[in-house]
């Protein structure tokens, strides 16, 4: 590659960005030369981003992410919309490979929003495809299908057949992920026909998709032959860093389904080594799930159950880490006009706990400081009540994690009712007052909650109720009714003889408080309630006797 072939540096950078999979070392070396020699800082940053792309595709995910963020910050500071878009595009893929699916959507939306109208169709194509992929992985397959349709239109402007193959491959895999194998197979047939018409051989990524769909349709022998062809083609094709472990996991599943359990275990062990060596957290969680399936297929049900528990815990940890990363790495992003309505839904989802539907810690961190400041300014009382399920580990251990999830969801429903109903006036005492039929319904002598109150899940079995506009006696009475409603709920169908109760600690805003100070006092009262025997409320100066 030389300046004689590409008369402008911009054209050479375009080619380097597209030069995926062909001599990665040569691509990175040429980008390093440009970064060293280019007079314009934007060109140097663009070259540096190409090097980060190569690093990410080579498995250096964390190193690549650090460089991409630095370039993204520089682009925002200098108003370089192309680098804003491209850095978000690559960050989305990188964080997806690190197990953060939520960040994939965040960065995909940001990338599309940053693109200028003047960007040519072929260069717009990967942004639309990545957006469609992100919609798929966050459960919006109908919206994703429309984006794939748009991507196919854009691909028709490209003279490179690989662009059309990429769109069809991603669309087929999206249908597979959505549980639509027949739809997926229809797209696979179109992909194969397109390849055959142009004398093109499917690359390993395409073959992995075909194998996954074949597994879903029950064609296990065909699937094993397909995925072996994909592995044999690695690394001679343009692939992302997670390609090999994905291939190996697919092969392990195929061999288990064909009752070839010994080879399935060997393949899964190789996949696990790849994940641990290169930080593929999301794939490693699925390896745990497949390990449980393998144990069960071999009749080793005790190890299967233990592995499933590890998988379940790891899955929750990945989801929690994804939400935390999203809160750290993303501020408000604006979507293009055609996606504005969908984007509003996604922003709302980012502030909701996916299991219970309650507000999440991110929402608390965004909203509670303002409510505290308002309470200090106006003198309107504001209370933070931290609720923790008593002996929740017993429910998970003696029942199932599914039962534990059902308890969390039902408690969340009761708290939602509490945060929207009128809290009744009642004295706080250990036995509490009986809940009204149907939960925390409005009481004739009750008080409507002041605007600004809400319920949230802080994590695990811990929840938060924010109550505004009530004095201490009425707040304690309200929280006592919440406690009694949870304790009195018919739990037998879910937990058998195990009771479900909550301990509650609460305190009100004091002058000079920030969020940390208020929640620390509420936590201290929660621990006091636990020490006092659980299933009780301790709030402010009023505590059950």
């Amino acid at each position: 590659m030389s300046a004689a072939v590409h008369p402008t540096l911009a054209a050479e950078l375009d080619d380097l960005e597209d030069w995926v999979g062909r001599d990665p070392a040569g691509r990175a070396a040429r980008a390093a030369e440009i970064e060293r020699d280019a007079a314009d800082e934007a060109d140097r940053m663009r070259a540096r981003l190409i090097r980060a792309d190569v690093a990410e595709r080579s498995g250096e995910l964390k190193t690549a992410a650090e460089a991409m963020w630095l370039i993204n910050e520089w682009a925002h500071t200098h108003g370089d919309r192309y680098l804003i878009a491209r850095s978000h595009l690559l960050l989305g893929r990188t964080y997806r490979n690190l197990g953060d699916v939520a960040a994939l959507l965040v960065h995909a939306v940001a990338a599309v929003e940053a693109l200028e109208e003047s960007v040519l169709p072929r260069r717009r194509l990967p942004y639309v495809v990545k957006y469609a992929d992100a919609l798929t992985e966050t459960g919006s397959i109908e919206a994703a299908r429309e984006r794939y349709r748009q991507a196919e239109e854009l691909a028709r402007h490209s003279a490179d057949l690989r662009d059309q193959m990429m769109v069809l491959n991603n669309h087929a895999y999206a249908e597979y992920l959505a549980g639509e194998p027949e739809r997926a197979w229809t797209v696979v047939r179109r992909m194969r026909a397109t390849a055959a018409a142009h004398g093109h051989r499917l690359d390993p990524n395409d073959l992995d998709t075909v194998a996954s769909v074949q597994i879903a349709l029950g064609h296990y022998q065909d699937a094993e032959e397909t995925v072996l062809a994909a592995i044999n083609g690695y690394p001679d094709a343009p692939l992302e860093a997670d390609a090999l472990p994905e291939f190996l996991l697919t092969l392990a599943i195929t061999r288990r389904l064909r009752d070839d359990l010994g080879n399935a275990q060997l393949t899964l062990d190789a996949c696990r080594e790849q994940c641990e060596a290169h930080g593929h957290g999301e794939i490693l969680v699925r390896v745990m799930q497949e390990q449980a399936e393998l144990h069960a297929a071999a009749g080793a049900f005790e190890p299967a159950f233990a592995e499933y528990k590890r998988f379940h815990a790891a899955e929750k940890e990945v989801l929690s880490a994804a939400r935390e990363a999203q809160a750290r790495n993303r501020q408000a992003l604006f979507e293009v006009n055609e996606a504005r309505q969908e984007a509003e839904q996604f922003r709302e989802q980012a502030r909701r706990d996916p299991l219970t539907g309650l507000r999440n810690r991110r929402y608390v961190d965004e909203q509670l400081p303002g409510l505290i400041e308002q309470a200090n300014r106006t003198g309107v009382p504001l209370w933070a009540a931290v609720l923790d399920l008593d002996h929740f580990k017993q429910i998970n251990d003696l029942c199932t994690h599914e039962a534990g999830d059902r308890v969390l969801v039902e408690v969340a429903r009761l708290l939602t009712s509490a945060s929207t109903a009128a809290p009744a006036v009642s004295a706080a005492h250990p036995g509490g007052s009986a809940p009204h039929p149907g939960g925390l319904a409005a009481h004739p002598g009750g008080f409507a909650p002041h605007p600004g109150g809400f319920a949230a899940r802080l994590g695990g079995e811990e929840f938060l109720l924010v109550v505004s506009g009530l004095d201490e006696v009425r707040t304690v009475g309200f929280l006592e009714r919440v406690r009694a409603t949870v304790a009195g709920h018919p739990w037998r169908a879910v937990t058998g003889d195990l009771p479900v109760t909550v301990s509650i600690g609460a305190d009100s805003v004091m002058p000079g408080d920030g969020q940390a100070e208020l929640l620390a006092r509420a936590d201290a009262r929660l621990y006091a309630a636990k020490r006092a025997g659980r299933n009780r409320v301790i709030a402010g100066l009023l505590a059950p006797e």
Side-chain angles (χ1 to χ4, degrees):
M1 186 178 299
S2 67
V5 177
H6 301 287
T8 68
L9 184 57
E12 184 173 8
L13 287 167
D14 284 348
D15 197 33
L16 282 170
E17 286 175 350
D18 295 339
W19 194 28
V20 176
R22 296 172 288 162
D23 185 18
R27 182 183 180 218
R30 178 58 188 138
E33 291 175 0
I34 295 175
E35 184 181 355
R36 183 191 65 216
D37 299 335
D40 186 79
E41 188 175 12
D43 291 335
R44 295 198 298 272
M45 285 294 177
R46 195 173 168 190
R48 187 175 182 184
L49 189 58
I50 291 167
R51 293 177 60 205
D53 183 17
V54 174
E56 192 273 339
R57 291 177 184 275
S58 300
E60 301 172 29
L61 305 184
K62 295 180 180 179
T63 300
E66 290 176 358
M68 291 170 188
W69 271 117
L70 287 173
I71 295 162
N72 180 270
E73 292 170 4
W74 180 92
H76 276 285
T77 300
H78 293 82
D80 190 320
R81 291 184 62 180
Y82 181 77
L83 273 177
I84 291 172
R86 182 147 185 87
S87 59
H88 275 301
L89 179 73
L90 299 183
L91 279 164
R93 188 187 71 209
T94 301
Y95 276 87
R96 168 64 179 80
N97 288 339
L98 285 168
D100 189 350
V101 177
L104 170 64
L105 177 60
V106 169
H107 290 295
V109 171
V112 172
E113 187 269 338
L115 278 181
E116 295 181 306
E117 291 298 324
S118 59
V119 174
L120 296 174
R122 184 177 183 275
R123 303 206 67 75
R124 183 179 294 274
L125 175 62
Y127 297 86
V128 177
V129 172
K130 188 58 68 176
Y131 186 19
D133 294 345
L135 288 168
T136 298
E137 296 207 45
T138 51
S140 299
I141 186 61
E142 288 294 339
R145 286 174 183 142
E146 174 59 23
R147 303 303 172 192
Y148 287 124
R149 185 195 64 77
Q150 294 174 3
E152 284 195 54
E153 289 295 322
L154 292 172
R156 290 194 179 97
H157 293 272
S158 173
D160 192 336
L161 178 66
R162 290 174 302 176
D163 289 334
Q164 295 183 53
M165 301 303 294
M166 179 264 293
V167 174
L168 290 169
N169 175 67
N170 285 33
H171 186 187
Y173 195 69
E175 298 291 356
Y176 160 77
L177 288 177
E180 297 279 359
E182 295 294 344
R183 281 180 179 265
W185 190 247
T186 298
V187 181
V188 165
R189 290 170 61 187
R190 287 170 52 205
M191 180 170 69
R192 283 177 155 177
T194 301
H198 293 82
H200 175 79
R201 188 177 66 179
L202 296 182
D203 72 22
N205 270 342
D206 301 331
L207 291 170
D208 185 57
T209 297
V210 174
S212 297
V213 178
Q214 288 170 327
I215 291 173
L217 292 172
H219 304 159
Y220 304 137
Q221 180 65 49
D222 292 342
E224 180 166 351
E225 292 173 3
T226 300
V227 76
L228 282 171
I231 293 173
N232 290 335
Y234 182 89
D236 298 328
L239 301 172
E240 296 184 357
D242 63 349
L244 183 56
E246 287 282 10
F247 298 160
L248 291 169
L249 181 57
T250 302
L251 181 59
I253 293 169
T254 303
R255 287 174 166 170
R256 170 176 59 81
L257 292 171
R258 294 188 61 241
D259 292 327
D260 186 3
L261 303 186
N263 283 323
Q265 185 64 66
L266 291 174
T267 305
L268 193 64
D269 290 343
C271 179
R272 183 184 291 108
E273 289 178 8
Q274 285 285 321
C275 292
E276 291 174 347
H278 299 290
H280 299 300
E282 187 270 339
I283 302 175
L284 188 58
V285 172
R286 287 188 280 133
V287 168
M288 295 178 186
Q289 183 182 27
E290 178 57 22
Q291 184 64 73
E293 295 285 352
L294 259 179
H295 284 317
F301 298 113
E302 186 173 339
F305 180 67
E307 189 67 29
Y308 180 78
K309 289 177 69 175
R310 284 193 288 272
F311 153 69
H312 190 77
E315 184 182 40
K316 287 190 173 182
E317 185 177 343
V318 166
L319 290 173
S320 176
R323 290 193 297 273
E324 291 174 4
Q326 186 177 29
R328 289 193 304 270
N329 298 332
R330 182 195 181 224
Q331 296 183 356
L333 298 172
F334 297 97
E335 289 72 27
V336 291
N337 288 336
E338 66 175 356
R340 192 168 301 278
Q341 184 175 0
E342 293 171 1
E344 287 298 326
Q345 296 173 355
F346 296 137
R347 277 196 290 268
E348 173 68 12
Q349 290 170 7
R351 290 157 178 81
R352 292 279 182 185
D353 174 60
L355 175 65
T356 65
L358 289 180
R359 299 295 187 181
N360 60 15
R361 185 64 189 240
R362 177 178 183 176
Y363 180 87
V364 173
D365 292 342
E366 290 176 348
Q367 297 298 320
L368 188 54
L371 293 176
I372 293 172
E373 189 277 330
Q374 183 182 33
N376 275 321
R377 188 180 68 253
T378 64
V380 175
L382 183 75
W383 289 78
V386 180
L387 301 81
D388 190 83
L389 284 164
D390 298 324
H391 301 299
F392 184 68
K393 187 175 184 298
Q394 290 185 4
I395 296 173
N396 281 333
D397 291 346
L398 300 180
C399 300
T400 64
H401 283 279
E402 181 182 1
D405 286 350
R406 289 173 64 188
V407 169
L408 293 172
V409 169
E410 187 61 19
V411 168
R413 187 189 68 79
L414 296 175
L415 295 184
T416 299
S417 298
S419 64
T420 56
V425 180
S426 66
H429 57 86
S433 55
H436 293 292
L440 291 153
H443 189 281
F447 292 81
H450 191 277
F454 61 86
R457 184 184 178 200
L458 296 179
E461 63 268 30
E462 192 170 74
F463 298 85
L464 175 72
L465 271 177
V466 174
V467 181
S468 181
L470 300 181
D471 63 22
E472 185 166 351
V473 172
R474 293 170 180 173
T475 298
V476 173
F478 167 56
L479 294 176
E480 181 60 32
R481 290 180 58 77
V482 172
R483 181 208 62 76
T485 297
V486 173
H489 188 73
W491 294 107
R492 180 173 293 275
V494 180
T495 63
D497 293 332
L498 288 178
V500 178
T501 61
V502 292
S503 298
I504 305 176
D507 210 335
S508 61
V509 170
M510 298 176 62
D513 266 353
Q515 176 176 313
E517 291 79 9
L518 176 61
L519 293 183
R521 292 199 305 275
D523 272 334
R525 283 157 176 73
L526 170 64
Y527 295 139
K530 294 283 189 181
R531 290 194 299 270
R534 296 182 170 83
N535 189 24
R536 65 191 61 226
V537 177
I538 293 184
L541 299 176
L542 296 179
E545 305 196 349

